[in-house]
């Protein structure tokens, strides 16, 4: 059985949606002596169909390989290889109009033609929105009011439970009313409406621990009845002399397009940190990437699929710049103040390594200027056409915590998310304050409208065997897992409808567009 400490997106992810990918080819090689090639048979990753369905996970790099063969007309069934390509599912989905065309390769000296992919969501995603309240939730130690929150678990076929949602903490309240939240139906019950949904009630402690208050069970079918006597749940607990109850206030189910139908614009900013030495986290080893480069590459290689022009403004903060040694907390890594864009994540890495040779790394570590800079960009595009993701990588504590909290609160009302990756052995307690999973970030009495911050220490994801690829995959999967929900929560709060990608027309028709009988 899972516990509150087991909430791990690495193990609890369900597909965001199912995607149908259609494949067609054009201008294929003529491999037959007396007749045209029959491009009706495509072999791609154990499938021989031109329409196929895949589970789509935004936070994973889903690699695809496509091999194209001709079907021979003779009885010997010999096939001629026509070419191949490698791509990711994210590249197909992130392409303009959900349409990606790539040139086939694999036959030296030959033009192999091209292959065209179109992605379409198989069906709208059903999501449930619900709200709960409770009464008499005193502390487990019987003294004072509690700081309660709820944890929802989906039951699995093997009898175990997987955490699928946590509410916010309501501080110092015996009778809390939690904010309404939205969760995909598949995440709640995986399509089985009578499957048990377990809910644990916890009391949050300031030291980061959690005291168990009690639990109750329900199901999607019960919840769908809405507010009624059937959805007032008695919380089972050790202390029985007070009847503790949790009540469903509202429940509704909607169909909506998922994350894939929003085009995203990604901004990646890079923290520079402390002076570079051979033992530094910035050390440029000829044998392996340093921690900064690994974190940037892990996250960047996934999110770049969703940026149409692949141009990334990249900045450093915390350095003395040439020629006069002026301290800057937001300088372009490519040294071009007029155009800070780097071409692709590889371009960002190149600019980062160049910067290490030209600037003197320097403190303090001020986060607010960078956050505010991205927020100004996001404030100019609030119609849903763009969404900004700020990636910050740092090895230091925050020097301007009050200003950073205010910047996060202001940014929470804008179309942007903030990912912070801490590298090195430093203590990152201040970073945890910004990650609003337990308690929403506040500044001068104002609470953030949404939870937009995800913080992780990179050291928790380093593979013990030294496998950098595995370390990077673990990091990316965790830090990106919340982005789709954060994006959708902003769009929904602003009443912005998802816009399915419009297919792009072409004068050239594909040579093959259906599966041969």
């Amino acid at each position: 059985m899972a516990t509150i400490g087991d909430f791990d997106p690495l193990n609890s992810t369900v597909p965001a949606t199912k995607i149908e990918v259609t494949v067609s080819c054009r201008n294929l090689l003529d491999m037959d002596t007396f007749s045209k090639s029959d491009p009706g048979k495509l072999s791609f990753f154990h499938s021989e169909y031109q329409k196929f369905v895949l589970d789509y996970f935004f936070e994973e790099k889903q690699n695809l390989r496509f091999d194209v063969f001709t079907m021979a007309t003779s009885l010997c069934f010999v096939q001629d290889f026509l070419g191949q390509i490698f791509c990711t599912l994210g590249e197909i989905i992130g392409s303009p109009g959900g349409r990606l065309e790539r040139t086939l390769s694999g036959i030296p000296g030959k033009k192999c033609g091209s292959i065209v992919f179109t992605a379409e969501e198989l069906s709208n995603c059903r999501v449930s929105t619900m709200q709960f309240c409770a009464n008499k939730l005193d502390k487990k130690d019987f003294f004072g009011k509690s700081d309660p929150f709820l944890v929802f678990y989906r039951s699995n076929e093997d009898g175990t439970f997987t955490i699928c949602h946590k509410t916010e903490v309501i501080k110092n309240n015996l009778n809390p009313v939690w904010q309404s939240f939205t969760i995909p139906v598949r995440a709640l019950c995986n399509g089985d409406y009578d499957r048990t949904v377990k809910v644990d009630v916890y009391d949050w402690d300031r030291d980061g621990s959690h005291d168990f208050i009690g639990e109750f069970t329900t199901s999607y079918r019960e919840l769908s009845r809405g507010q009624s006597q059937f959805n007032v749940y008695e919380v089972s607990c050790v202390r029985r002399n007070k009847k503790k109850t949790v009540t469903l206030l509202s429940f509704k189910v909607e169909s909506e397009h998922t994350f894939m139908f929003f085009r995203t614009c990604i901004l990646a900013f890079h923290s520079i940190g402390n002076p570079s030495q051979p033992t530094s986290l910035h050390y440029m080893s000829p044998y392996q990437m340093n921690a900064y480069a690994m974190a940037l590459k892990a996250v960047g290689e996934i999110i770049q699929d969703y940026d149409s022009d692949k141009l990334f403004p990249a900045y450093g903060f915390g350095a003395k710049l040439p020629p006069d040694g002026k301290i800057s907390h937001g300088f372009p890594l490519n040294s071009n103040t007029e155009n800070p864009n780097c071409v692709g994540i590889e371009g960002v890495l190149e600019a980062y390594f160049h910067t290490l040779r030209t600037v003197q790394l320097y403190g303090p570590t001020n986060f607010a200027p960078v956050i505010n800079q991205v927020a100004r960009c996001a404030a100019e595009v609030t119609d849903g056409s763009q969404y900004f993701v700020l990636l910050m990588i740092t090895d230091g504590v925050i020097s301007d915590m009050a200003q950073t909290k205010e910047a996060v609160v202001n940014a929470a009302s804008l179309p942007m998310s903030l990912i912070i990756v801490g590298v090195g052995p430093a203590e990152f307690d201040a970073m945890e304050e910004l990650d609003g999973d337990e308690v929403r970030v506040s500044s001068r009495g104002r609470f953030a409208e949404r939870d937009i911050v995800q913080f992780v220490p990179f050291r928790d994801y380093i593979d013990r065997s030294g496998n950098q690829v595995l370390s990077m995959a673990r990091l990316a999967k965790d830090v990106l897992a919340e982005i789709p929900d954060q994006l959708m929560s902003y769009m929904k709060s602003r009443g912005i409808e998802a816009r399915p990608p419009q297919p792009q027309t072409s004068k050239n028709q594909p040579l093959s567009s259906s599966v041969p009988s």
Side-chain angles (χ1 to χ4, degrees):
M1 179 179 295
T3 66
I4 185 61
D6 296 326
F7 191 24
D8 182 5
L10 280 144
N11 299 313
S12 61
T13 303
V14 296
T17 188
K18 287 185 177 290
I19 304 300
E20 182 180 74
V21 177
T22 302
V23 183
S24 59
C25 299
R26 57 181 58 171
N27 301 324
L28 294 178
L29 278 172
D30 181 7
M31 301 297 289
D32 295 335
T33 304
F34 300 105
S35 62
K36 294 290 185 182
S37 296
D38 179 2
K41 189 173 180 85
L42 295 100
S43 174
F44 39 87
F45 231 35
H46 308 297
S47 180
E48 296 181 349
Y49 298 92
Q50 290 180 311
K51 283 183 180 289
F52 59 99
V53 176
L54 293 175
D55 284 333
Y56 166 53
F57 299 88
F58 165 73
E59 67 273 16
E60 294 183 13
K61 187 174 183 179
Q62 295 176 265
N63 294 307
L64 303 174
R65 167 184 158 183
F66 296 81
D67 294 331
V68 183
F69 293 86
T70 181
M71 181 179 293
T73 56
S74 64
L75 295 179
C76 63
F77 301 106
V78 175
Q79 296 175 324
D80 292 319
F81 176 69
L82 299 178
Q84 71 176 189
I85 70 124
F86 296 86
C87 68
T88 67
L89 183 57
E91 286 181 280
I92 298 174
I93 293 172
S95 298
R99 179 186 182 277
L100 176 68
E101 182 170 359
R102 284 286 180 82
T103 300
L104 292 165
S105 62
I107 303 179
K110 298 287 186 179
K111 292 183 178 180
C112 299
S114 62
I115 187 168
V116 179
F117 311 101
T118 56
E120 182 179 358
E121 188 177 18
L122 194 60
S123 63
N124 287 350
C125 178
R126 290 172 60 82
V127 296
S128 55
T129 301
M130 61 191 85
Q131 185 178 24
F132 289 84
C133 68
N135 70 340
K136 299 182 180 179
L137 294 185
D138 53 348
K139 299 180 75 68
K140 182 180 178 181
D141 57 13
F142 309 159
F143 297 103
K145 298 177 181 179
S146 63
D147 301 323
F149 65 97
L150 305 178
V151 182
F152 290 75
Y153 301 80
R154 178 184 72 251
S155 60
N156 304 315
E157 293 184 0
D158 62 359
T160 61
F161 289 90
T162 299
I163 297 177
C164 56
H165 183 76
K166 290 194 299 185
T167 68
E168 78 279 12
V169 175
I170 303 295
K171 303 200 69 175
N172 199 31
N173 199 321
L174 286 172
N175 305 301
V177 178
W178 289 279
Q179 296 179 8
S180 62
F181 62 90
T182 299
I183 183 172
V185 173
R186 293 184 66 201
L188 191 64
C189 66
N190 202 26
D192 181 358
Y193 293 173
D194 295 310
R195 181 174 295 195
T196 299
V197 175
K198 186 171 75 75
V199 184
D200 284 352
V201 186
Y202 285 94
D203 176 27
W204 176 80
D205 285 339
R206 295 183 182 277
D207 62 1
S209 62
H210 311 90
D211 291 330
F212 179 73
I213 295 178
E215 67 178 17
F216 63 91
T217 61
T218 181
S219 68
Y220 175 83
R221 193 178 300 279
E222 286 186 10
L223 292 170
S224 64
R225 295 178 180 179
Q227 187 178 26
S228 66
Q229 70 272 22
F230 301 104
N231 284 319
V232 177
Y233 302 98
E234 184 173 352
V235 178
S236 62
C237 54
V238 177
R239 191 184 183 199
R240 298 281 184 178
N241 61 329
K242 282 190 177 182
K243 185 178 180 181
K244 308 175 191 292
T245 59
V246 173
T247 302
L248 176 68
L249 294 179
S250 63
F251 184 92
K252 65 179 179 178
V253 179
E254 300 173 291
S255 294
E256 62 178 22
H257 289 295
T258 57
F259 165 81
M260 67 164 287
F261 283 132
F262 289 110
R263 302 300 92 192
T264 59
C265 176
I266 308 299
L267 290 177
F269 286 74
H270 198 277
S271 167
I272 292 299
N274 296 319
S276 177
Q277 298 293 335
T279 56
S280 169
L281 294 167
H282 291 288
Y283 179 57
M284 292 183 287
S285 168
Y287 306 107
Q288 62 181 7
M289 291 183 291
N290 64 35
Y292 281 81
M294 288 175 62
L296 178 59
K297 189 176 179 67
V299 178
E301 283 194 341
I302 292 178
I303 62 177
Q304 73 175 349
D305 287 343
Y306 303 90
D307 188 290
S308 57
D309 60 12
K310 303 294 185 291
L311 296 178
F312 297 89
Y315 290 81
F317 56 96
K320 290 183 177 181
L321 306 184
D324 55 2
K326 183 179 180 180
I327 298 175
S328 174
H329 297 289
F331 59 92
L333 292 185
N334 65 2
S335 303
N336 188 340
T337 56
E338 299 297 324
N339 182 13
N341 291 322
C342 300
V343 180
I345 295 303
E346 290 301 322
V348 176
L349 284 169
E350 183 180 344
Y352 160 62
F353 290 128
H354 173 75
T355 298
L356 289 178
R357 302 184 185 98
T358 57
V359 304
Q360 180 186 352
L361 307 180
Y362 201 78
T365 306
N366 292 339
F367 276 40
V370 178
I371 298 173
N372 289 331
Q373 188 165 350
V374 179
R376 286 192 291 270
C377 297
E380 296 177 358
V381 191
T382 57
D383 61 353
S385 61
Q386 294 183 0
Y387 192 84
F388 296 76
V389 177
L390 167 59
L391 169 63
M392 302 181 73
I393 309 173
T394 180
D395 62 355
V397 297
I398 300 176
S399 304
D400 59 342
M401 190 61 178
Q403 294 86 343
T404 297
K405 284 185 175 180
E406 183 168 5
V408 169
V409 171
N410 292 335
S413 63
L414 299 172
M416 66 176 286
S417 292
L418 171 58
I419 297 171
I420 305 174
V421 178
V423 296
E427 293 297 327
F428 295 112
D429 293 345
M431 308 294 184
E432 297 286 359
E433 283 190 60
L434 298 179
D435 194 325
D437 286 343
E438 305 292 350
V439 180
R440 194 67 57 84
V441 179
S442 64
S443 173
R444 295 193 288 185
R446 267 194 321 137
F447 283 87
E449 179 181 320
R450 299 180 296 131
D451 173 19
I452 65 168
V453 180
Q454 173 76 337
F455 166 74
V456 296
F458 192 20
R459 58 178 176 249
D460 291 353
Y461 300 87
I462 296 177
D463 181 65
R464 294 181 180 179
S465 67
N467 187 327
Q468 288 194 338
V469 174
L470 185 56
S471 300
M472 292 161 62
R474 288 173 174 170
L475 174 70
K477 192 170 184 178
D478 206 355
V479 300
L480 292 174
E482 296 183 9
I483 297 297
D485 286 341
Q486 291 175 358
L487 183 151
M488 294 299 293
S489 70
Y490 172 80
M491 301 299 178
K492 190 170 183 178
S493 69
R494 299 302 186 270
I496 299 172
E497 295 289 337
R499 294 185 292 275
Q502 299 301 314
Q504 296 182 336
T505 58
S506 175
K507 296 180 181 179
N508 299 318
Q509 296 300 317
L511 294 178
S512 176
S513 59
S514 62
V515 179
S517 59

